[in-house]
Amino acid sequence: ADLGSLRTPPIQAKRTLEAVAVILGALPVQRDYSWDDVRKAARQSDFIKRVVEFNPRDMGEAAAKAVRDRYLSPSAAYLDRLNAKERETKGEDAPEIVALDFEAANRSSAAAGPLVLWAGSQLDYVEIERKVEPLQKEVEALEAATKTTRDEVATLEREMAELEKSVKGYKEAYATAVRAAEKIKNDMASGKVKADRAARLLASLADEQGRWAAEADAYPDEARRVPSRALIAAADVAYGGALSEAERASLRASAR
């Protein structure tokens, strides 16, 4: 960059390049740097490309802390020490060193102002990401737990579907058994009715059998009486036709 070509750059421009080089890892984290160290880092062929393509996640914690505490948000005590050292080296009229910001850096070099904004945005990103990281891990844990819960719910739903299918089968089997039992009950009732009817029929037949047996036993006597009864009937017809009933009864009695 054009800053790297300067033999003695403004102090804020030098500090800006220091901060950027530390963020990129082109300079190690140490107490102080000479301009030759800073210029050498800034003159690397891929310096600008690394600035453009830099991923804040690649910044180490030590580098982030050094840039924050020494350049962007230094304490008053730290600045007092730097200014005292600067006056010892360059005299009492040495420019005052302040925290890096766009206006101060831009006054020292038009290229330094945007680099200060770049450095600040990198630190802001890292700070926010590190605050968010625990939340991200918590979200990931919750998502993992949610996935586990969803898997468990899916398993339970499958088991419930199987149980419902089994219960449906049991209900159908029970209904079939109830219908079969009802049919057996009806058949038993019908059978009882038929059995009762058969019993009554058998009883009636038994009575008829007794009557038929008595009639069969009496048949020979009845058969022997047929001729006499025929004669009586014939006489009754021949001689009693003109008689009254009483006279016919008297006639039959005398005939015996």
Side-chain angles (χ1 to χ4, degrees), residues 152-170:
E152 292 175 352
V153 169
T155 300
L156 290 174
E157 287 177 346
R158 287 193 296 271
E159 292 177 355
M160 287 178 64
E162 291 295 327
L163 288 174
E164 288 177 357
K165 184 177 179 181
S166 298
V167 169
K168 183 179 179 182
Y170 294 148

Side-chain angles (χ1 to χ4, degrees), residues 16-48:
T16 298
L17 281 182
E18 284 180 17
V20 172
V22 170
I23 290 173
L24 294 176
L27 284 176
V29 177
Q30 58 189 43
R31 185 170 183 177
D32 54 28
Y33 307 92
S34 68
W35 173 237
D36 289 338
D37 293 335
V38 177
R39 182 165 56 180
K40 182 178 178 180
R43 282 184 171 180
Q44 292 177 0
S45 60
D46 62 344
F47 184 81
I48 295 177

